[in-house]
Structures are given as structure tokens and as C-alpha cells.
Amino acid sequence: MFKRKKKAQKNTDGNQSYWAYVARQFKKNKRALFSLYFVIFLAIIALFADFIANEKPIICKYEGKTYMPVLKQYAVGLGLAKWPEAFKNGGWKEKEYDFAIWPIIPYLPNNLDYDAQWASPTGRQICACECTSVLDDECVESNKCGNNKLADCNKASSCTLKVIKKTPNWKEGMAEDEVIKYCKKQEYSIWRHWLGTDDIGRDVAAGMIHGTRIAFMVGIIAMGIACIIGIFLGACAGYFGDTGLELSRGSLFINIFAFFIAFFYAFYSRSYIMSDAFGVSFGKAIWAFFIGILIFLAIMAIANIIALPLNKIPFLGKKVAFPVDIAITRIIEVINSIPLLVLILAIVAIAKPSIFLVMAVIGTVRWTGIARFIRAELLRVRRLEYVEAANALGFSQMRTMFRHAIPNSLSPVFIAVAFGIASAILIESFLSFLGLGVPAETITWGKMLAISRTNASAWWFAIFPGLAIFITVTLFNLIGEGLTDALDPRLKQ
Amino acid sequence: MFKYILKRVLIFIPTLLVISVMVFLLNMYAPGDPVYNIAGIDPNSSKPLTPEAYNAIRGELGLDLPVFYFTMSSIAYPDTLYRIPKKEHKATLGRLINDHGNWEEIREYHRSIEALESRVLEIPRDSLNPKALIKIKEKVRGLYRIHEDIKIQKSLESMEKPIASAPSTSILQPFLEDTRTKYQTMVNNPTKWKTKVPTLNWYGFKNQYHRWFSRFVQFDFGKSYQSKRPISEEIGERIFWTMLISFISIILTYVIAIPLGVFSARKKDTLADSTVTTILFILYSLPSFWVATLLIVFLCQPEYVDWFPPYGIGDPAPDAGFFETFRIRAYHLILPLFCWTYASLAFLSRQMRGGMLSVLRQDYVRTARAKGVDERKVIWKHSIRNSLLPVITLFGNIFPLMISGSIVIEILFSLPGMGQYLYQAIVAQNFPVVSTIVMMAALLTMIGYLVVDILYAVVDPRITFD
């Protein structure tokens, strides 16, 4: 008993040492290691975007009670709690708090700030002051005050100023010079738009932070879908080859027949249910699709049970090989034959804009690379002794494949995923740059970059979002390179 | 060799067929009614097409044919549903069949609406009924589009009042009553089980897909929704620019990238190599739409410097001489060419460096050096040929590039090429153009793969095709 346990321990040690070796190799590559840390940092930003850029205070004391609005926002979003009366109508910044800690960027990407249109990161950009016409009508008539901005007001010396936006430190009845002083101070306070704004005063910094979340989501979900499809199909192609999957004639016939029946009941007769669900929300559509897959699998399973007695008949029981490899490589070839971007553009063009659809489309198109990697790996692995041993022990083919063969062939998939995330992020930003596929209210890096085309003097739109895309893509590419070097067996000596 | 090519071409055919079915499906699920699109009339406008005009265009487009060689459906669906002219009527009828399953009654109901509509159209406008008539018309047309029980009931009810309001419209009363009874019979005699029984309908070769694909093979791509001109004509005008730019760009890429890669590989681990490698890596990761945006914003705008024109290909006077035309065109094409070239340049150089490095490790290179062959000869004669494989792979990409072009560069710099054509078609939902370009891109990609495979064999005699 003891001995066996020890042996098992040793075995996992051996298993770990391969990954320990890979980790060691990876750590040697300073650029890749740095990129990994940077990506983790960005992932943390993406995860805590609501705490970094938000219109609500993180903690505030209002009318004697302490609230944590950002945390509460999640509870409200999940339907677990309701906003108290005081906060129901928003207006977070107009309230007079006893005490408040604001996020580093006190804006949401969709918040409009009409006092700061096209505010430049380097220029003057205040905001909370406005001309009044009480003292000097001439000032307003001659329109010296321009857009009611402090910058213009200072030139028109005869104007009086008043603060209209109540920010936490401002008090009623401030003298004029005090107001100006306060405004100047405030210009470099947390209310400043550090990276500028667009034509309707949306904060660029907030958009950058929340854009990180979307970019990461696109990369991870798209590659997640690609991995599921790619690993499964690639593994089937590699493991079974053209001769590995033997079916009796009866099963083959029934499977082909059942495929159509299952398709009919799972998807065709439910097509209206699914399209209605898609009209409601993407989550509902996924759920309807998932139920469809369950029905499909159930019918296929029933068909295979029916096939069992049929196989006793000599003619139907004779085994034939199903050319899995040919079938799957053909599918890969079909998808690879259409230029990726053209295909994605064409699909996105006919569907309703949705960020999840973009993820799903990228995922369902980008799996071929992963499938090819894992196919090549399994073609090699299936000849190894331990797979033969597993077969000799009488394990089912599925078990051998999923429990023994696939876990040992996953390393090239990591490389493909790292590069894949980079290209998924690139494709998504490209699509939103063109204004395709992503709904209007979602702020992404690509969309912000596109704003620079409408106003060339707003250089901050040309630089910051593009830089974010570039850095993220480069980091994932560097990690991919590092993994390639670390996993490459040729470097093992 | 010939046998191999023949085999590859034969393999193409099923792949191309599958792609064509996919593209055709994309076309089928595209929103909007193609008949209205080609007529350039908004279906909700006050003057919709007359049924005769509608059917004429429909026949011209072949939309009166069944969709595919066969369809799988339930026995509740009649195999003649495709004969219903309008797309939105078909969609509603499909819904009704799915909900009730009794085609006979549904058809009766549909016909009763048609009868009602034709009577409504016959009523002349007089002073007593102007508003009521418009309202009735709207409601009757609306009936074609709704399938939910509550909505239909409501719609039928709401028609009663305007019909009774004027003597001229009250003759519609029996027709409305007829529609109502037909609707009730339909609802009361559902055969929903029929929707659960699958069946296969065979339509033969006279179908929309067959028609579309056989015309595509003969380079008849149909008409563009926007300009109403044949798509092949429009492509002919635009393909020149895409081909020209991608051709120049490929030449530039090869001329710069191959020596650069070789240089970098020879000087491995020196400062020069690491500088070149780093720069190439950065170039490789730079998104071209960002670079193009930066160039347009900072080099083409009066706010900063306007050294270059921000868009277009220039407009030389028709009587301008060759050199003048060339100067204007070149001036406009410098920035697009730069953006078009740098990414593939970086990619190719990196591949070339990698390929060269692995070749330089080979025994035969060491032998050549050992026997005192000049280093230059070792590189350019012994090694280069074997490190050319990645370079050839890129060559295969030229073919699809002719069609899809570098979409983003053409859009950003407003070059009248294929990429911009595709983008405009997508934005305007001009699906005949989209599907044509997708098909051509796929076709050329496959040709590219074939050319690459043949070139591999030419460069590396060790690769055989048997």
C-alpha cells in the first residue's frame, strides 16, 4: 500500500518536473517574463476596472450613513439589493458628502461632461465655473465668454464667475477671486480629465481602463471557444487518423441517419425559439443553443444504443474505418481558404451588433491553428508506448484520448493561445475601429482610436488607445515567443 | 508533377463547393428583401412596388425558384412555400406554420388577407374617408408581418372602427369578417404534431443556389444594389489599384526583407542583430490601422504638418504627361505603401532570419566553410535556397491580397481598391458584392496554396509529390 502511494507520488513529481523545466526555461527569457507580469498587471486592471474608473465614490459618508457604492453596484446588478432613496437618480458628483473616497478616475467611459468637450490632457480644462449675466449684460451679449468656460472668462475681465457644479470642497458664497483660485486648484484635482475627452466630454482615461476589460474578455473568451473546438477536433483527427475509428456498418448507417434526425429536433425545429432568444439577450441565445446541443447529444446516444443489437447481424456488424482525419482536415482547409478578416467581416455584417457575437465569431473561425497543432502532436503521441499500454489495458478510446493522450500534448496549444489572444484583440479593435459588430454604447480601444479620424487636433485619441492596443498585442506576442522557446524540444540539450 | 497538380485541383472542387454553400447561406440570412434592394425602394415607403413590378424583378433575380437542391423540414411545411413572393410574408407564414402546423388553414387565412388588401386598394379616396382609409391600409399590410395571437386579434379589432366610419369603406365588413373566421379556423384546428415529423424535399437542379453558382463560374456575379451596375464591371475598375499596390509592396518587401534577414542571421548575437531584431519585432506588433491613423493625423493635417495628402490617389489632369501623372500618383501612394509594406516586411525578415539560422547550423554549411569556400558563397549559394521556404509561403498570400487587399489601408487612405469596395458593400449591406468578394478571395487563396506547394518543389528538390 505504502509502496504504491510512493510510486504515484514519484510519478507526479516527474510530471511536475516537465512543467518546472518549462517554467525555468521561460524565466530565463527576461522579455517574456516581464511581459507575463505586465499582462497580469493589465488583467488586474481589467478585473478591478469598476474600482479604478467609476462615477461613484468607493466609500462615502452621506447624511450620516456610510456607503460603498461601487461594491453595492454589483449587488444591485445581480438583483440582490436596491439603491437607497438618496442615490436612486444618480447625480453622484452633485451630492455633498461628509466624506468620500473617489476612484482614481472619477468617471465612467459613458459619462458625458458637457463642460469639457475635446478637453486636452495638457491644456486648461476646467469645467465647474461659468459666467453669469447678473452683473454685466454686455459680457454675455458680446459673447466674450465664449463657451462659458473659465479660460474665456478670464480674458473678459468684466465678467463675474460663479460655480455651478457643487464639488466636495466648494462652499456657498465664495468670493470671486476665491472662486478663480479654487478653480485653478481644481483643475489639477481628481476631476481633471487626465487623458482628455471627446466631443461630448467622455473621459478617455476611463475608456482606456474599461477598454482593457473588453480587450481581455475578447481575447480570453474567443480563444476559450477556439480551444474547445480546436482541441476536440484536432485530437480526434490526430488520435484516430484515417483508420483508428472503426465502426460497424450498422452503427455507421444509424449514426449518419441519426445525425440528420438529431439536427432536425435539436436545431431546425427549435430555430424560432433560438432566434427569439437571440433577440432578447445573448445569454438566452447561448442557453437555447446549449439545450439544442443537449438534445442533439441525447438523440445520438439513443441511436447508438439502438445500434447495439443491430451489430449482431453479420453484414451490419462488419467493421469499417471512418476517415476522421480526412474529414477534419477538409473542414480546416475550407475555413483556411477564406481570408480570416473577410470571413469575419462578412459574418459580422449580417448580424446584430454584439460584443459577444464578435467573440463567438472570432472563436469559431480561429480554432484551426490549435487543431493543427494538437493533431500533429497526437499523431506522434498515439504511437508512444503508454498510449498502447492504455489500449492494451482495455480502456475505452475516449478515455485513453482524453485522460492520457491529450494532457501530454497540450504544450503547443499554449503557444497558439498566446498568439491567438493577441490576434483576437487585434481583430476586435479593428472591427470596432471600423464601427462594425460592436454596439454603439460599448467603449473599446478601437472605437476611441476611430474618434481621432473625426478631429485631427485631438491627438490624444490618436495616441493613447492605439498605444494600449499595441502594448497588449506586443505583450501577448512576446509571451508566445517565450513559450515557443521554452517548450521547444530542440533546445533541450 | 502534372499528376499532382491535377490531384490538387480535383481536391479544390469539393472545398470550393462547400465554401460556395457557406457564402450562399450567408446571403440567404442577410437582412432585407433583395427585390426592394435592387429596385432601390424602401419597402415601408408610401409608394411600394406594384405586385407586377415586384414579381418581374423577382423572376429576373431567380428568387421564384426553390432555394436549394433539397430542403429538410417538417411535414407541416408545404414544399411550395418558396412560391410565396415576398420575403417577409414567407417569414410570417413560416412562423404561423411553426405555431399551428395546419398549412391548408393558414393558406386560407393568408388568401383572405390578400382579398382584403385588394379590396382596400380598390376603394377610391373620397372626402369622407381619407384618414380611415390610410389606417385600414396600414393595418392590413401589418397583418402580413405579425404572427402572435394577441397582436393579430388586436389588429383585427382595431380595423373595425375605421371600416364602419365611412360608407365607402363599410363594404370591407364582410371581408374582414371572412378573415376573422379564417383566422379562428386556423387557430382552432391546430395540427402541431406535424411540425415534429421531419421530411426531405427534393427540388432538382432548378434552384437558386444552382443558378447563382453556375453564373458565378461564368463570371456573372449579378448587380450591385447601390449602383445597379454589373459587379464584374465594378471589380474590373477597382482591382487594378489593389493589384498595383500589392505588387509594388511585395517587391519592396522581398527586396528589403531577404537581405535584412540574412544580415541579421549572419551577425547573430551582435548589437546590430539585436537592434534589427527588436525593431522588426516592434514593427511586426504595430497594428497597421494605428500606424496609418498616426500618419494621417500627424503628417497629413494642417494642425501638425501636411507633407502628404491624407486620402485618394490624386487627380492628375487628363492631358498631364506621364511623368506628371506618375509624380501625383506616387506622392499619394507613399504613405499607403509604407503601411502596406512594413508589417509583411517585419514578418518576412523574422522568418528569413529564423530559416537562415537553422540552415547555418547544418552540417553541409560547416563542410563548405571547412573546405574554405568564400563566406559570401556559403550564404548566397549554399544556404539561401534552403532558407527560402518561409519566403515562398508569403508568396502564396499575394493571390488573396489581390482581392481582399489590405482592407484597412484602403479604407483609411480612401484608395479605390477591392478592400474599400468590400467595406462599402458591408456598410451598405450590399450582399451580392460581399459574397462575390468572399468567393473570389477563397478561390485565389486556394490557388495561392497550390502555387506555394509547386514552388516548394522547385526550390527544394527533396520535396516530392508522390
Side-chain angles (χ1 to χ4, degrees):
Chain A
M1 197 61 200
F2 258 131
K3 254 185 182 168
R4 270 181 79 180
K5 218 172 187 179
K6 228 177 179 178
K7 237 181 184 173
Q9 193 95 41
K10 216 176 173 185
N11 209 352
T12 50
D13 272 359
N15 217 351
Q16 271 174 359
S17 80
Y18 171 68
W19 290 107
Y21 165 79
V22 170
R24 230 178 18 248
Q25 286 292 325
F26 189 79
K27 274 181 191 159
K28 271 190 203 160
N29 190 336
K30 286 282 172 292
R31 282 196 308 189
L33 195 65
F34 170 77
S35 309
L36 186 65
Y37 289 143
F38 205 142
V39 161
I40 293 172
F41 170 70
L42 287 180
I44 290 171
I45 289 185
L47 212 56
F48 293 101
D50 287 329
F51 292 89
I52 299 168
N54 207 321
E55 54 170 350
K56 309 175 182 73
I58 297 176
I59 299 175
C60 66
K61 201 170 175 191
Y62 183 66
E63 290 172 346
K65 276 186 193 162
T66 311
Y67 299 97
M68 294 173 80
V70 179
L71 270 180
K72 190 146 188 133
Q73 162 190 340
Y74 291 108
V76 173
L78 291 171
L80 299 173
K82 275 183 184 156
W83 290 115
E85 274 308 311
F87 297 127
K88 235 175 191 166
N89 300 322
W92 296 92
K93 288 184 188 116
E94 279 82 52
K95 293 195 169 60
E96 277 183 57
Y97 299 100
D98 304 334
F99 150 80
I101 297 178
W102 290 87
I104 303 167
I105 300 155
Y107 299 99
L108 275 179
N110 277 321
N111 284 162
L112 310 182
D113 184 354
Y114 286 109
D115 298 323
Q117 296 170 355
W118 292 122
S120 157
T122 52
R124 302 202 59 173
Q125 46 169 249
I126 205 73
C127 53
C129 306
E130 182 185 76
C131 293
T132 67
S133 55
V134 183
L135 284 182
D136 194 352
D137 286 339
E138 188 212 353
C139 161
V140 174
E141 270 164 31
S142 60
N143 205 14
K144 277 180 199 160
C145 292
N147 297 327
N148 289 346
K149 285 199 181 146
L150 182 69
D152 306 312
C153 292
N154 283 343
K155 283 176 221 152
S157 51
S158 53
C159 292
T160 13
L161 299 162
K162 77 163 188 183
V163 176
I164 52 153
K165 195 194 259 174
K166 290 180 182 174
T167 42
N169 303 322
W170 183 75
K171 285 177 187 67
E172 204 74 52
M174 273 187 184
E176 189 181 318
D177 54 337
E178 249 182 298
V179 172
I180 296 176
K181 222 165 92 188
Y182 167 67
C183 282
K184 275 190 181 154
K185 214 169 85 190
Q186 206 204 15
E187 195 184 345
Y188 288 95
S189 72
I190 59 165
W191 307 108
R192 188 179 169 81
H193 298 282
W194 290 105
L195 297 183
T197 60
D198 67 358
D199 55 338
I200 44 178
R202 288 180 296 190
D203 190 72
V204 173
M208 299 281 290
I209 298 289
H210 285 262
T212 316
R213 173 180 279 188
I214 289 179
F216 270 70
M217 254 164 62
V218 168
I220 291 167
I221 295 180
M223 276 343 266
I225 295 170
C227 271
I228 293 172
I229 305 175
I231 290 178
F232 180 72
L233 290 183
C236 284
Y239 183 77
F240 293 118
D242 282 336
T243 52
L245 184 67
E246 287 195 330
L247 286 171
S248 63
R249 280 176 184 164
S251 311
L252 188 69
F253 174 71
I254 284 204
N255 268 312
I256 292 172
F257 184 68
F259 179 85
F260 286 103
I261 300 287
F263 183 81
F264 177 81
Y265 286 111
F267 300 111
Y268 180 82
S269 73
R270 296 177 70 254
S271 61
Y272 286 122
I273 299 175
M274 284 198 285
S275 64
D276 285 348
F278 194 77
V280 178
S281 76
F282 196 78
K284 283 242 163 63
I286 292 282
W287 179 241
F289 186 70
F290 180 69
I291 290 179
I293 288 180
L294 283 187
I295 295 175
F296 189 86
L297 291 179
I299 293 174
M300 292 303 278
I302 292 170
N304 277 298
I305 293 169
I306 295 171
L308 287 179
L310 275 181
N311 292 341
K312 301 255 160 60
I313 304 166
F315 174 74
L316 293 177
K318 203 169 175 215
K319 299 262 181 188
V320 282
F322 183 74
V324 187
D325 193 27
I326 288 186
I328 290 172
T329 41
R330 284 296 104 194
I331 299 176
I332 294 178
E333 198 182 289
V334 166
I335 293 181
N336 281 354
S337 291
I338 309 179
L340 188 77
L341 211 53
V342 174
L343 182 60
I344 289 178
L345 279 175
I347 297 175
V348 165
I350 67 165
K352 219 173 67 181
S354 150
I355 189 81
F356 292 101
L357 181 81
V358 171
M359 296 175 194
V361 169
I362 296 176
T364 40
V365 173
R366 287 274 332 191
W367 59 268
T368 53
I370 295 173
R372 271 156 72 172
F373 267 127
I374 203 147
R375 172 180 169 268
E377 194 68 14
L378 271 181
L379 279 175
R380 185 179 66 81
V381 165
R382 69 170 172 165
R383 304 243 173 270
L384 296 182
E385 287 91 345
Y386 73 93
V387 173
E388 272 173 25
N391 279 332
L393 281 170
F395 292 159
S396 77
Q397 284 188 316
M398 281 292 157
R399 179 182 160 146
T400 316
M401 190 167 98
F402 282 106
R403 296 274 307 269
H404 304 284
I406 291 182
N408 284 303
S409 344
L410 280 182
S411 43
V413 173
F414 290 106
I415 302 171
V417 166
F419 285 120
I421 290 178
S423 87
I425 291 175
L426 207 58
I427 291 171
E428 181 273 321
S429 3
F430 176 64
L431 286 177
S432 46
F433 179 74
L434 294 182
L436 295 170
V438 183
E441 65 275 7
T442 314
I443 305 282
T444 63
W445 290 339
K447 235 181 223 176
M448 289 162 72
L449 183 57
I451 292 176
S452 69
R453 294 175 67 201
T454 62
N455 182 354
S457 54
W459 52 266
W460 50 97
F461 273 104
I463 298 214
F464 300 123
L467 202 61
I469 299 168
F470 166 58
I471 289 176
T472 318
V473 169
T474 312
L475 290 177
F476 278 107
N477 278 343
L478 279 172
I479 292 178
E481 284 218 326
L483 281 174
T484 315
D485 292 343
L487 293 167
D488 196 340
R490 273 177 301 175
L491 295 171
K492 259 187 179 169
Q493 316 104 15
Chain B
M1 186 69 144
F2 177 73
K3 229 170 120 188
Y4 173 77
I5 295 173
L6 195 73
K7 207 175 110 196
R8 281 295 301 262
V9 171
L10 284 179
I11 293 177
F12 273 0
I13 293 169
T15 312
L16 190 68
L17 285 177
V18 173
I19 291 173
S20 74
V21 172
M22 277 167 61
V23 172
F24 183 72
L25 272 178
L26 220 61
N27 235 339
M28 288 275 38
Y29 282 99
D33 187 334
V35 175
Y36 279 110
N37 283 330
I38 204 96
I41 293 172
D42 180 15
N44 299 320
S45 69
S46 54
K47 265 193 183 169
L49 285 173
T50 60
E52 292 77 36
Y54 186 97
N55 283 334
I57 298 176
R58 184 167 158 258
E60 199 184 308
L61 292 178
L63 293 172
D64 49 353
L65 298 171
V67 174
F68 200 58
Y69 298 102
F70 59 88
T71 56
M72 193 174 75
S73 65
S74 65
I75 56 167
Y77 284 82
D79 58 354
T80 50
L81 190 64
Y82 66 87
R83 288 193 195 140
I84 303 290
K86 292 196 180 172
K87 201 176 168 182
E88 52 177 22
H89 295 192
K90 239 181 282 181
T92 311
L93 286 173
R95 285 277 188 170
L96 287 173
I97 294 170
N98 185 55
D99 289 347
H100 305 291
N102 43 357
W103 169 240
E104 291 297 322
E105 284 82 1
I106 293 168
R107 188 172 54 189
E108 287 303 310
Y109 165 67
H110 187 74
R111 280 182 183 159
S112 73
I113 301 177
E114 280 175 342
L116 185 62
E117 191 195 12
S118 67
R119 284 322 285 261
V120 172
L121 293 176
E122 278 168 18
I123 297 174
R125 263 183 83 166
D126 58 43
S127 55
L128 287 171
N129 63 8
K131 268 191 188 161
L133 196 63
I134 291 172
K135 200 168 177 200
I136 295 168
K137 245 186 227 173
E138 243 172 48
K139 290 278 173 194
V140 172
R141 292 225 167 100
L143 273 183
Y144 284 125
R145 270 177 244 138
I146 47 180
H147 62 92
E148 296 95 336
D149 185 47
I150 306 167
K151 279 192 188 167
I152 294 177
Q153 297 273 18
K154 236 184 185 171
S155 175
L156 288 174
E157 232 162 76
S158 65
M159 249 185 276
E160 220 145 80
K161 227 174 149 190
I163 284 179
S165 70
S168 58
T169 52
S170 59
I171 55 156
L172 293 172
Q173 196 65 42
F175 290 93
L176 181 67
E177 213 42 58
D178 184 45
T179 309
R180 197 192 297 260
T181 42
K182 292 278 163 59
Y183 179 68
Q184 284 307 331
T185 359
M186 179 182 94
V187 175
N188 293 335
N189 305 308
T191 49
K192 213 166 169 343
W193 60 270
K194 278 191 180 173
T195 62
K196 301 289 175 206
V197 183
T199 174
L200 211 65
N201 299 317
W202 173 258
Y203 291 110
F205 289 101
K206 276 204 126 194
N207 61 55
Q208 288 184 37
Y209 168 77
H210 191 83
R211 183 176 181 276
W212 172 76
F213 189 66
S214 50
R215 288 192 178 202
F216 182 88
V217 177
Q218 296 160 28
F219 297 101
D220 175 5
F221 309 132
K223 276 183 188 165
S224 157
Y225 288 163
Q226 249 81 51
S227 61
K228 323 282 181 248
R229 289 171 53 210
I231 293 171
S232 48
E233 224 173 82
E234 294 202 325
I235 286 180
E237 284 162 18
R238 283 157 175 274
I239 204 164
F240 168 73
W241 289 105
T242 307
M243 274 170 76
L244 177 78
I245 299 172
S246 48
F247 183 71
I248 300 176
S249 153
I250 291 284
I251 300 245
L252 278 176
T253 307
Y254 277 76
V255 167
I256 303 171
I258 295 177
L260 202 62
V262 172
F263 167 81
S264 185
R266 274 182 64 189
K267 307 261 170 176
K268 188 176 183 289
D269 296 331
T270 62
L271 185 68
D273 170 46
S274 56
T275 321
V276 169
T277 315
T278 312
I279 292 175
L280 288 180
F281 187 82
I282 292 173
L283 281 182
Y284 172 65
S285 296
L286 274 172
S288 57
F289 58 97
W290 184 39
V291 174
T293 310
L294 285 180
L295 291 176
I296 291 175
V297 168
F298 292 113
L299 294 185
C300 308
Q301 304 290 347
E303 278 95 341
Y304 308 98
V305 286
D306 51 348
W307 291 344
F308 296 100
Y311 52 79
I313 46 167
D315 194 14
D319 55 342
F322 173 77
F323 285 105
E324 178 62 11
T325 315
F326 179 78
R327 194 190 62 79
I328 292 174
R329 296 281 197 228
Y331 182 48
H332 279 80
L333 291 182
I334 287 176
L335 289 185
L337 264 176
F338 172 76
C339 291
W340 204 309
T341 310
Y342 83 84
S344 51
L345 175 88
F347 175 76
L348 188 69
S349 303
R350 284 161 53 78
Q351 295 284 321
M352 192 68 211
R353 177 176 179 270
M356 200 70 194
L357 278 180
S358 66
V359 170
L360 286 181
R361 257 187 258 138
Q362 302 284 327
D363 290 340
Y364 67 88
V365 173
R366 199 182 315 139
T367 315
R369 279 180 181 154
K371 71 179 184 189
V373 176
D374 180 31
E375 178 68 19
R376 190 163 298 182
K377 212 172 166 190
V378 171
I379 297 283
W380 295 108
K381 187 135 188 261
H382 292 76
S383 314
I384 192 96
R385 219 166 133 156
N386 283 324
S387 49
L388 273 180
L389 293 187
V391 180
I392 292 169
T393 313
L394 188 78
F395 188 75
N397 292 346
I398 300 175
F399 292 88
L401 269 183
M402 276 179 210
I403 290 296
S404 59
S406 194
I407 300 172
V408 65
I409 312 255
E410 286 188 11
I411 297 167
L412 278 172
F413 289 99
S414 306
L415 305 178
M418 296 295 294
Q420 201 202 27
Y421 190 45
L422 174 66
Y423 173 70
Q424 285 168 349
I426 283 172
V427 171
Q429 308 229 309
N430 194 348
F431 289 101
V433 175
V434 177
S435 50
T436 306
I437 294 182
V438 175
M439 279 293 284
M440 289 178 76
L443 197 65
L444 285 172
T445 312
M446 287 192 284
I447 294 176
Y449 285 157
L450 178 69
V451 171
V452 165
D453 279 352
I454 294 167
L455 278 180
Y456 275 156
V458 173
V459 171
D460 189 347
R462 285 172 301 182
I463 296 176
T464 56
F465 290 115
D466 300 321

